[in-house]
Amino acid sequence: MKKTLFLCALLLAGCVGRPENIEPVSHFDSSKYLGKWYEIARLEHSFERGLSQVTADYSLRQDGGLKVINRGYKDADAVWKEVEGKAYFVDRKDVGYLKVSFFGPFYGSYIIFDLDPQAYSYSLISGPDKSYLWLLSRTPTMDPALQQKLVDKARGLGFDTSKLIYVKQN
């Protein structure tokens, strides 16, 4: 029994791990991060496959965490998909390192490793490893030069940006 609990704890801890050389932003202000974000680009995963017009909306939870509502349009089925999750800070509330759950007790890393320091107009997000990457913006489109700069940064940190999907936003 102890061995099983240890393995479960190890598995869950691994899901909120940080990829090598990915540092979460410091001086993070969750109140400035709240509201709607548009997904500009992502590395594909089954839970987002075929989705366009993807947004994430963050609000405060009464327990001190963040409520997350992810929404996207499934073109093949002509329907909107929506999922609600919750996020909590892994360490301190002024560090952009959270764990997020959309499926019960299972959490995954949400690491904000680049963020517009003044206006919070863009962010780069990693998951527990470098197969997870999102580029988010407060607007449905992004200045092409800024977008390229952020993609170049992600590539320089070891993400396979050749596999990025650029999300159609209407």
Side-chain angles (χ1 to χ4, degrees):
M1 180 68 168
K2 285 183 182 181
K3 186 177 182 180
T4 302
L5 289 175
F6 174 75
L7 289 174
C8 288
L10 188 62
L11 176 66
L12 290 176
C15 293
V16 294
R18 247 183 28 215
E20 184 179 341
N21 77 342
I22 300 301
E23 294 296 325
V25 297
S26 56
H27 308 292
F28 181 73
D29 181 350
S30 61
S31 67
K32 289 174 67 176
Y33 202 77
L34 301 178
K36 183 178 277 192
W37 288 86
Y38 294 86
E39 194 175 86
I40 300 299
R42 69 173 180 261
L43 290 176
E44 188 80 307
H45 284 280
S46 60
F47 52 86
E48 284 188 286
R49 188 162 290 126
L51 295 182
S52 64
Q53 303 180 60
V54 179
T55 60
D57 204 323
Y58 301 90
S59 58
L60 289 176
R61 291 173 49 93
Q62 287 189 351
D63 63 7
L66 300 179
K67 177 180 173 182
V68 184
I69 297 179
N70 286 348
R71 189 168 194 255
Y73 188 74
K74 181 83 169 181
D75 296 301
D77 301 331
V79 296
W80 286 96
K81 299 283 187 173
E82 186 174 287
V83 63
E84 183 177 322
K86 54 189 174 183
Y88 298 97
F89 290 92
V90 172
D91 294 319
R92 300 183 340 247
K93 288 189 174 195
D94 66 340
V95 175
Y97 185 16
L98 297 96
K99 60 182 183 177
V100 65
S101 176
F102 293 96
F103 311 105
F106 304 104
Y107 283 86
S109 294
Y110 184 96
I111 304 160
I112 304 161
F113 67 95
D114 198 345
L115 178 66
D116 173 6
Q118 280 78 41
Y120 280 44
S121 64
Y122 66 80
S123 64
L124 272 172
I125 312 300
S126 173
D129 61 49
K130 292 183 181 173
S131 72
Y132 295 90
L133 176 67
W134 293 270
L135 172 54
L136 305 180
S137 174
R138 290 295 192 173
T139 56
T141 60
M142 179 178 273
D143 172 69
L146 174 60
Q147 181 174 310
Q148 189 60 55
K149 176 184 164 194
L150 295 169
V151 169
D152 290 346
K153 177 176 184 167
R155 181 181 310 109
L157 290 169
F159 291 91
D160 185 356
T161 58
S162 70
K163 294 183 178 177
L164 277 175
I165 292 172
Y166 291 90
V167 180
K168 180 179 79 176
Q169 295 284 355
N170 292 347

